[in-house]
Amino acid sequence: MTRFNRSLRAIAMGVSLTLTAAAVAAVAAVAEPAAASEKAQGVVRVQSAYGFDDTVTRIKADIAGKGIRFFTEIDQAGLAKGADIDLKPSKLLIFGNPPLGAQFLTSNPYAGLDWPVRILVTQDADGRVWVAYTDFAYIADRYDIRDRPAQIKMAAEVAGSIAGSVTSR
């Protein structure tokens, strides 16, 4: 084997090891524990000052107090329990203002994947209760909605207000 071939082989092995290390790191990042999901792209999270059930009750009351239509509540932990899977308390609240939501769908019908609005109330392993929803600027960018800035701003303010209703006593 010539010196050139040995050098080329050494470079190839170095590149191979580097790529292997990068692949292992990428897989490890995907397989990280649930704490990594707290950094989901486009998600706004706030910590509640109340217990889980009180947080759900207060958010639903705030939605009603704002005259916003409440569609449904999905007890994700209850569904998991029915499948013999242990899941910390988790409820998805679905609500919205149809005339406002329709504005997003007339801009891009695929925005219907993110409307009506959803707020997730969940409890972590340490007993902290979190309220999370998708950032509306992120949604607008996701669906390339550029012609509804006032509606995006209004939706963001309302969702922020609802989530914020449980951040202090």
Side-chain angles (χ1 to χ4, degrees):
M1 187 180 281
T2 68
R3 182 185 302 176
F4 176 76
N5 285 343
R6 281 191 298 254
S7 296
L8 189 57
R9 188 171 186 185
I11 291 170
M13 289 199 60
V15 169
S16 177
L17 288 173
T18 301
L19 290 175
T20 300
V24 168
V27 169
V30 171
E32 282 184 315
S37 65
E38 295 171 359
K39 297 179 185 189
Q41 204 173 24
V43 173
V44 177
R45 282 180 2 126
V46 297
Q47 187 173 352
S48 177
Y50 299 93
F52 183 82
D53 290 332
D54 284 345
T55 297
V56 171
T57 299
R58 288 173 176 276
I59 287 177
K60 288 170 72 175
D62 196 64
I63 291 167
K66 287 178 170 53
I68 298 170
R69 186 172 175 182
F70 184 80
F71 295 110
T72 195
E73 170 184 316
I74 300 171
D75 181 356
Q76 295 171 325
L79 293 171
K81 185 176 182 176
D84 291 326
I85 298 170
D86 187 35
L87 180 65
K88 298 286 181 206
S90 180
K91 287 191 179 180
L92 187 65
L93 308 177
I94 302 173
F95 59 94
N97 175 337
L100 178 61
Q103 294 295 312
F104 303 110
L105 278 68
T106 58
S107 180
N108 183 339
Y110 294 105
L113 289 167
D114 283 294
W115 272 281
V117 179
R118 294 177 291 275
I119 282 187
L120 177 68
V121 180
T122 189
Q123 185 173 327
D124 66 20
D126 296 326
R128 293 176 299 203
V129 176
W130 297 93
V131 176
Y133 62 93
T134 306
D135 176 61
F136 289 92
Y138 178 84
I139 292 171
D141 190 53
R142 177 178 182 182
Y143 298 106
D144 198 30
I145 298 174
R146 307 278 179 245
D147 58 342
R148 306 286 193 272
Q151 292 86 348
I152 293 292
K153 182 178 184 225
M154 178 183 286
E157 289 173 354
V158 171
S161 172
I162 291 169
S165 71
V166 296
T167 59
S168 62
R169 290 191 179 259

